[in-house]
């Protein structure tokens, strides 16, 4: 995939830049790639909304939701650690 969705010229930071960087010219994304990325991003938002608004989280006090989400996110890591012990 080109680095830019829209066609853009190449660029380079000036010689005294703190962190030199450059990018080649980008022809932009073709319509099929742009449509697929838009579809995937919309699906990502749909799934994230379903997770964040799920009734499961209402079981927790508002102050405990963050810790509960973090524990769920790390559940697989804990299972792997338990299995290796």
């Amino acid at each position: 995939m080109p680095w830019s969705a829209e066609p853009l010229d190449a660029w380079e930071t000036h010689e005294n830049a703190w962190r030199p960087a450059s990018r080649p010219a980008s022809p932009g994304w073709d319509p099929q790639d742009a449509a697929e990325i838009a579809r995937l991003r919309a699906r990502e938002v749909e799934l994230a909304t379903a997770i964040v608004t799920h009734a499961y989280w209402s079981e927790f006090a508002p102050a405990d939701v963050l810790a509960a989400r973090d524990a769920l996110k790390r559940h697989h890591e804990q299972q792997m650690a338990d299995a290796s012990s």
Side-chain angles (χ1 to χ4, degrees):
M1 293 284 300
W3 63 269
S4 173
E6 301 296 324
L8 289 175
D9 294 333
W11 61 267
E12 189 172 316
T13 56
H14 60 84
E15 63 187 45
N16 294 325
W18 172 76
R19 184 176 141 214
S22 63
R23 293 276 185 160
S26 173
W29 298 348
D30 64 43
Q32 294 86 2
D33 287 340
E36 180 65 4
I37 296 236
R39 185 189 70 76
L40 290 171
R41 287 181 176 161
R43 181 70 174 144
E44 179 183 28
V45 169
E46 177 186 334
L47 293 172
T49 301
I51 290 167
V52 170
T53 60
H54 193 277
Y56 173 77
W57 303 113
S58 65
E59 298 175 15
F60 298 92
D64 298 331
V65 171
L66 182 58
R69 285 188 179 149
D70 192 51
L72 183 60
K73 182 170 80 172
R74 301 187 189 295
H75 179 72
H76 181 72
E77 295 169 5
Q78 187 61 46
Q79 280 186 323
M80 296 297 288
D82 292 347
S84 66
S85 337

